[in-house]
Amino acid sequence: MIEKNPNFANLSAGYLFPEIAKRRRAFAAAHPEAKIISLGIGNTTEPLTPHIAKALSDYAAGLGTKEGYTGYGDDSAGEPAFREKIAKVLYKGLVEPSEVFVSDGAKCDVGRIQQMFGANVAVAVQDPSYPVYVDGSVMVGAAGHAPKTDAGYGDVVYMPCLPENNFFPDLSVVKPNSLIYFCSPNNPTGAVASKEELKKLVDFANKNDCIIIFDAAYSSYIRDESIPSTIFAVEGAKTCAIEINSFSKPIGFTGVRLGWSIVPSALKFADGTPVQQIWTRLTNTFFNGASNIAQAGGMASLDDEGIKETRELTDFYLENARIIRDALKGENFAKAGVQIFGGDNAPYVWAKFPGKGSWEVFDMILEQCNVVTTPGAGFGPAGESFIRFSSFGHREDVIEATKRLAGLKL
Ligand code: PLP
């Protein structure tokens, strides 16, 4: 038989969410009467908003007519009018329409981006971080075959982001010529980087010939006007950054699937080849463009009505986050010294339970409150002792979960 790609042997055992699902199933089997509520996953729960839903259904109906039918787009980068609208509405002209590449989601683009750099690139990731950056790097071989340690895997280096450094990493651990994954607003910590911090990151990358993969999937949750919603608001970013983004969390397109990446024309590989040229070659080979129905929905989200609906939907989840934060300020949590972060410019609340392991707290909350959360250790070693509470949930479930949390014995 054919051998499997040896890089897969280097992945850490199991993906976080299957393990959570396993523990939830085991608990449900042992306690069939329990009404389990999830504050665990980052999946959206509320219906599509009316204006955007109508744009999807109108487009889909049109596909059933001779006049309205369309097949492959002319270009895998997306409908020209949509690329233009993203550049104008979301970036206020900070990027050119030709730098916007529409995708079927940010996760898919992380996978594709890694193929541009191959197995020999050094990688730096925030610790904790969205697991796809590390696992994707390991799959393409960037981790070599070195064993996993608390500092990273081979050429994949972890940059700890903790309350002690205000969740902004010490960049001195990053090797020159690295790909740097940076996510703000952050999943899982809910931290947002200030303009000064992003400038530090951009200056570091330019000076050390690094490329930043800036994941801005939660930028629509930023309410503090001093926080940049794009890395391209920072001077110098166009020569060192790719931004990936998504319609999943702003407008509930987690199932519809739509995202985009900004690949600046000024970004170059060491030999002077424009990154855009390789990106176009790669995506034209492996990707036939985002769904035309999804793009019609995305387009509708960027007109006045769509912008209003997007704000209302993201405000809804931010209100859930506020309810969760308030619950975590309860007496039982305060007595145990629980510290609360995030949830104001991001849909995640990140709580530290001093002296306790994350899986231990996860099990306590599941057993005593029948609430599923996400253990911070699943996002990297620096997530140990933390729990991520997701604000994606129906309001009544969030309220019920927080009532139960008030009775948690820590
Ligand atoms: N980036 C981050 C930080 C995420 O948390 C997620 C999803 O949870 C994604 C990207 C994936 O987005 P998409 O649904 O566009 O693939």
Side-chain angles (χ1 to χ4, degrees), residues 35-47:
K35 289 202 166 51
I36 298 175
I37 297 175
S38 178
L39 298 183
I41 54 172
N43 201 358
T44 46
T45 54
E46 301 312 292

Side-chain angles (χ1 to χ4, degrees), residues 9-20:
N10 225 16
L11 289 169
S12 65
Y15 189 70
L16 171 63
F17 293 102
E19 176 60 25
I20 293 173

Side-chain angles (χ1 to χ4, degrees), residues 65-148:
T65 67
K66 203 169 177 183
E67 307 70 45
Y69 178 75
T70 58
Y72 292 131
D74 290 338
D75 188 337
S76 72
E79 286 302 316
F82 187 35
R83 298 173 77 190
E84 218 165 279
K85 194 124 184 180
I86 290 174
K88 190 168 159 214
V89 175
L90 296 176
Y91 290 88
K92 312 274 185 290
L94 284 171
V95 305
E96 296 299 320
S98 59
E99 296 176 312
V100 178
F101 293 80
V102 175
S103 73
D104 50 351
K107 192 189 239 185
C108 315
D109 266 1
V110 171
R112 287 189 279 258
I113 282 170
Q114 279 164 331
Q115 291 189 51
M116 284 201 294
F117 300 94
N120 294 326
V121 72
V123 176
V125 292
Q126 286 164 294
D127 173 20
S129 71
Y130 181 52
V132 182
Y133 315 141
V134 171
D135 285 358
S137 302
V138 171
M139 285 181 196
V140 295
H145 298 282
K148 187 182 178 193

Side-chain angles (χ1 to χ4, degrees), residues 42-43 104-108 110 130 133 183 185-187 215 217-218 244-249 253-254 257-259 348 388:
N43 201 358
D104 50 351
K107 192 189 239 185
C108 315
V110 171
Y130 181 52
Y133 315 141
C183 175
N186 191 270
N187 177 12
D215 187 338
Y218 297 96
I244 53 174
N245 216 315
S246 171
F247 284 93
S248 288
K249 310 304 160 91
F253 270 24
T254 38
R257 309 302 305 144
L258 188 67
Y348 298 116
R388 188 192 76 173

Side-chain angles (χ1 to χ4, degrees), residues 40-335:
I41 54 172
N43 201 358
T44 46
T45 54
E46 301 312 292
L48 295 178
T49 56
H51 176 68
I52 297 170
K54 181 169 184 309
L56 293 176
S57 56
D58 286 353
Y59 195 91
L63 288 176
T65 67
K66 203 169 177 183
E67 307 70 45
Y69 178 75
T70 58
Y72 292 131
D74 290 338
D75 188 337
S76 72
E79 286 302 316
F82 187 35
R83 298 173 77 190
E84 218 165 279
K85 194 124 184 180
I86 290 174
K88 190 168 159 214
V89 175
L90 296 176
Y91 290 88
K92 312 274 185 290
L94 284 171
V95 305
E96 296 299 320
S98 59
E99 296 176 312
V100 178
F101 293 80
V102 175
S103 73
D104 50 351
K107 192 189 239 185
C108 315
D109 266 1
V110 171
R112 287 189 279 258
I113 282 170
Q114 279 164 331
Q115 291 189 51
M116 284 201 294
F117 300 94
N120 294 326
V121 72
V123 176
V125 292
Q126 286 164 294
D127 173 20
S129 71
Y130 181 52
V132 182
Y133 315 141
V134 171
D135 285 358
S137 302
V138 171
M139 285 181 196
V140 295
H145 298 282
K148 187 182 178 193
T149 70
D150 273 4
Y153 278 90
D155 281 337
V156 180
V157 168
Y158 292 153
M159 304 182 289
C161 293
L162 294 158
E164 292 79 355
N165 57 13
N166 197 26
F167 300 100
F168 187 81
D170 170 8
L171 298 171
S172 68
V173 299
V174 181
K175 298 174 199 157
N177 302 304
S178 287
L179 263 192
I180 305 175
Y181 281 94
F182 198 95
C183 175
S184 178
N186 191 270
N187 177 12
T189 67
V192 276
S194 67
K195 189 157 186 183
E196 295 68 40
E197 287 170 332
L198 292 180
K199 177 81 176 111
K200 215 165 149 185
L201 178 67
V202 163
D203 288 348
F204 177 90
N206 276 322
K207 197 162 159 220
N208 293 281
D209 299 318
C210 295
I211 291 183
I212 303 162
I213 310 298
F214 189 74
D215 187 338
Y218 297 96
S219 56
S220 57
Y221 289 83
I222 295 175
R223 293 294 178 270
D224 177 342
E225 285 177 7
S226 73
I227 304 289
S229 60
T230 164
I231 189 103
F232 299 112
V234 176
E235 201 193 325
K238 286 219 168 167
T239 50
C240 67
I242 292 173
E243 181 165 300
I244 53 174
N245 216 315
S246 171
F247 284 93
S248 288
K249 310 304 160 91
I251 59 173
F253 270 24
T254 38
V256 175
R257 309 302 305 144
L258 188 67
W260 74 94
S261 289
I262 305 294
V263 183
S265 55
L267 188 64
K268 306 265 167 59
F269 286 107
D271 68 355
T273 314
V275 173
Q276 222 182 54
Q277 183 185 318
I278 301 300
W279 181 243
T280 303
R281 182 73 179 84
L282 183 116
T283 48
N284 280 343
T285 303
F286 290 120
F287 181 52
N288 259 333
S291 145
N292 45 16
I293 302 172
Q295 291 189 69
M299 188 81 175
S301 78
L302 300 178
D303 64 25
D304 289 347
E305 190 58 26
I307 291 168
K308 187 169 149 273
E309 288 184 352
T310 305
R311 180 74 179 203
E312 284 164 5
L313 187 60
T314 48
D315 276 347
F316 174 88
Y317 291 124
L318 283 170
E319 176 62 10
N320 281 351
R322 191 195 60 74
I323 294 168
I324 295 166
R325 280 183 66 102
D326 278 355
L328 296 175
K329 289 179 192 154
E331 211 178 305
N332 52 342
F333 291 99
K335 259 197 198 149

